[in-house]
Amino acid sequence: IICMLEDISSAATASTASTNSTVVISTAAKSSSVRNRLIHDLCRYLPEHLLEPIVTVLLSMLERGLITDVILLAFLVPQRRFLKLNQAVKIRKSIFRQIGLNCPNLIKLDLSGCLQVSNSVIRSILQGCPALEDVVLNNCYKVTDAAFDFSESPFQTLVGCLSLESISLQGCPQITGEIISTLNKNFKRLKYLNLSQCKNVKSPKIQHIFDHNQLQSLNLAFIDDISDEAFLLLPEPHAFSQQQLQALCHHSDSPLQKINLGKSRITDVSIVRMSHMARRLVEIRLQWCNGITDAGIHALVQNCRRLRLIDLKSCSITDESLASIALLSEELQSLDLSWCLGLSDEGVKKLLVQPDHSSSSSRRRINRRSRSGGSYRNSSGRRINGSKLSFRNDESYSSDESGEFPYERCLEHLSIVWCSQVTDDCIASLQGIPTLRSIEVAGSGLSPQGLENLRESGIEVLL
């Protein structure tokens, strides 16, 4: 099919360069017409894994004016489940409307960068796709809150809203905070929401997103108006006794697992409130949040013990934050400390402190048995000189003559980009983290010899 499309493209290109263009165009048109009919018939039965490369070729030809968007109708059939038409600015809205009519079994749709997509297009798709689970509408400038409002479609229900689990509206300038009430009311299965770069989303409306009882991932990065006001409806921990707070958190425990608040104006106040109500967090991104300090990080890791990724890029933290992370985040796998200028060697050394198990139900240990002359690799591929490391989910550790000792750290990736106070003095500490696989060090105080020592110990150094 791709060869046929390339033949059509070549014939059309040749026709524009020919002196006898009338004859060539006529011949090419007849040939193209036959091929188009054949492509149309074949594409109706294409398996999903062949769809994307074919559509890519078609969109490229459409951009050059070699075909019309009518041929895309061949792909809009009832068995189609996945459709990706991002950046397809040449497709007419009438073709987009056919998606809802012809693809009732559609599960995932990507229309990112389609500037012509409007509210009427989105509503027609939601009306006809009752199995829709994932919609990506990034940078669709004409889409507004009304596209998802049931009151705007009085004669036909937006059935797609009832099944949607993931929606991305990144960079949609007409989306405002009014959409939150619509999502809470009608999108009962929603688990992932991306409103990053939606400049008209304001803090007062964001408060209510935490009322959604299914939402697991929330992206509010690069929204200038997001501040502590967005978290005002969450209870203030200091207003309750410890027993009351535990009961309240247990009753209203949020299912939220991932949140991105990058480049917002929040402070430690928001982190304290959120950490008490979202104890299931496994990933939090606070990059470029200048209002976050050591106090906020301590509250975060104290209440959210399942964190696996923490991004603190360019936050105003010191070595005290690393001490809290090392003590309380035993499941942490990735830690980004880039541009945290207040960190030093002492903070990095604290990453070797053993975690506190007071609220942990499981323990892991490493069995280190010395062997003379030789080196071994742990399960992550790290070479450990003179010893062998192996993880085991096991019972509590007790010291004996077997050489076993507890090591609970799971850290695999560390970024200290432009942490200028981090020098070669912490090399031994970094080598002492057996699970560490990679480290980003551009602009740090580590010398070439120090970097070479890290490579020799099996750590991948990223510059």
Side-chain angles (χ1 to χ4, degrees):
I1 296 175
I2 292 179
C3 290
M4 291 178 186
L5 293 173
E6 291 175 345
D7 288 344
I8 297 172
S9 177
S10 299
T13 304
S15 68
T16 59
S18 172
T19 54
N20 191 8
S21 58
T22 303
V23 177
V24 176
I25 290 174
S26 177
T27 304
K30 292 178 181 179
S31 178
S32 297
S33 177
V34 173
R35 290 187 175 110
N36 282 349
R37 286 198 299 272
L38 179 57
I39 292 170
H40 189 280
D41 293 337
L42 288 174
C43 286
R44 293 181 68 85
Y45 306 102
L46 270 179
E48 296 290 347
H49 68 278
L50 293 180
L51 174 64
E52 190 169 337
I54 301 297
V55 171
T56 301
V57 175
L58 287 174
L59 293 179
S60 175
M61 295 174 65
L62 183 61
E63 284 291 325
R64 291 179 287 162
L66 303 179
I67 60 171
T68 65
D69 56 5
V70 176
I71 197 173
L72 291 172
L73 292 174
F75 295 92
L76 305 182
V77 292
Q79 62 267 31
R80 191 67 60 218
R81 296 186 303 160
F82 306 97
L83 191 59
K84 185 176 182 180
L85 297 173
N86 54 323
Q87 308 297 329
V89 294
K90 295 290 185 178
I91 299 179
R92 292 170 295 168
K93 288 193 286 187
S94 60
I95 300 297
F96 281 126
R97 289 192 181 97
Q98 297 299 313
I99 296 175
L101 296 174
N102 299 338
C103 304
N105 297 312
L106 196 64
I107 295 177
K108 183 174 182 178
L109 176 65
D110 186 351
L111 299 180
S112 298
C114 296
L115 307 182
Q116 70 277 35
V117 170
S118 62
N119 290 346
S120 61
V121 170
I122 300 302
R123 281 197 290 267
S124 67
I125 293 173
L126 293 175
Q127 288 168 358
C129 299
L132 197 60
E133 296 180 358
D134 189 348
V135 172
V136 182
L137 301 173
N138 299 341
N139 299 309
C140 291
Y141 296 157
K142 294 184 179 180
V143 175
T144 72
D145 304 329
F148 309 95
D149 193 343
F150 277 41
S151 64
E152 296 291 333
S153 181
F155 303 110
Q156 193 170 358
T157 305
L158 303 179
V159 291
C161 295
L162 305 178
S163 60
L164 264 180
E165 296 182 2
S166 173
I167 182 169
S168 180
L169 298 167
Q170 177 179 330
C172 294
Q174 297 195 61
I175 293 294
T176 71
E178 297 296 333
I179 197 175
I180 300 301
S181 59
T182 300
L183 296 177
N184 285 341
K185 182 179 180 181
N186 301 321
F187 291 65
K188 299 298 185 180
R189 298 180 60 184
L190 189 66
K191 296 179 180 178
Y192 171 85
L193 176 63
N194 183 0
L195 295 177
S196 62
Q197 301 179 37
C198 293
K199 301 298 183 181
N200 286 315
V201 174
K202 307 297 182 182
S203 286
K205 297 295 182 179
I206 286 295
Q207 299 179 39
H208 300 282
I209 193 59
F210 299 102
D211 296 335
H212 200 290
N213 59 9
Q214 294 293 325
L215 193 65
Q216 297 179 8
S217 180
L218 178 63
N219 191 339
L220 299 174
F222 297 95
I223 303 179
D224 298 334
D225 194 64
I226 298 299
S227 64
D228 291 336
E229 189 177 5
F231 300 88
L232 283 180
L233 293 185
L234 298 181
E236 172 60 51
H238 300 296
F240 301 90
S241 67
Q242 187 65 25
Q243 186 176 1
Q244 291 174 326
L245 185 61
Q246 289 178 356
L248 179 63
C249 293
H250 178 73
H251 177 71
S252 56
D253 189 20
S254 170
L256 197 64
Q257 296 181 13
K258 298 181 180 181
I259 188 167
N260 188 341
L261 296 169
K263 203 65 171 66
S264 62
R265 296 188 290 111
I266 65 170
T267 66
D268 293 339
V269 174
S270 297
I271 297 298
V272 171
R273 291 188 174 190
M274 182 180 61
S275 65
H276 276 86
M277 303 306 297
R279 293 174 179 264
R280 301 183 190 180
L281 276 179
V282 296
E283 180 178 312
I284 185 167
R285 298 180 183 273
L286 300 171
Q287 64 273 27
W288 301 297
C289 293
N290 297 324
I292 304 300
T293 67
D294 296 332
I297 300 303
H298 179 76
L300 174 68
V301 296
Q302 185 177 39
N303 295 307
C304 303
R305 296 297 187 96
R306 302 179 183 178
L307 284 169
R308 297 177 184 175
L309 183 148
I310 302 177
D311 188 347
L312 300 176
K313 189 183 290 96
S314 195
C315 288
S316 303
I317 61 172
T318 67
D319 295 339
E320 292 303 315
S321 289
L322 291 188
S324 299
I325 292 172
L327 185 64
L328 300 170
S329 297
E330 64 177 277
E331 296 186 20
L332 188 64
Q333 297 177 1
S334 179
L335 179 61
D336 193 338
L337 304 171
S338 303
W339 293 93
C340 293
L341 305 182
L343 301 181
S344 68
D345 293 326
E346 293 303 315
V348 176
K349 291 176 182 178
K350 291 177 181 179
L351 290 177
L352 281 175
V353 175
Q354 297 306 308
D356 175 20
H357 302 290
S358 58
S359 64
S360 177
S361 60
S362 64
R363 283 193 167 200
R364 300 195 307 173
R365 66 180 180 181
I366 289 180
N367 181 16
R368 170 174 287 181
R369 299 185 184 277
S370 299
R371 291 190 180 179
S372 57
S375 61
Y376 306 88
R377 294 183 183 274
N378 65 0
S379 57
S380 66
R382 281 283 312 283
R383 181 180 297 277
I384 308 296
N385 294 325
S387 60
K388 185 176 182 178
L389 302 179
S390 62
F391 284 110
R392 297 205 306 265
N393 287 326
D394 210 320
E395 302 160 349
S396 300
Y397 162 76
S398 59
S399 178
D400 54 30
E401 297 179 356
S402 64
E404 294 184 350
F405 71 100
Y407 190 90
E408 310 293 341
R409 188 69 56 236
C410 302
L411 189 63
E412 296 181 358
H413 177 77
L414 177 65
S415 178
I416 51 173
V417 173
W418 284 104
C419 293
S420 55
Q421 295 188 63
V422 177
T423 67
D424 289 353
D425 288 345
C426 69
I427 294 294
S429 298
L430 293 173
Q431 291 174 320
I433 305 176
T435 54
L436 189 62
R437 295 184 179 185
S438 60
I439 181 170
E440 296 183 54
V441 297
S444 68
L446 299 181
S447 68
Q449 182 58 48
L451 299 181
E452 185 60 31
N453 292 339
L454 289 175
R455 292 189 183 97
E456 289 178 356
S457 63
I459 301 175
E460 181 182 6
V461 177
L462 306 174
L463 299 175

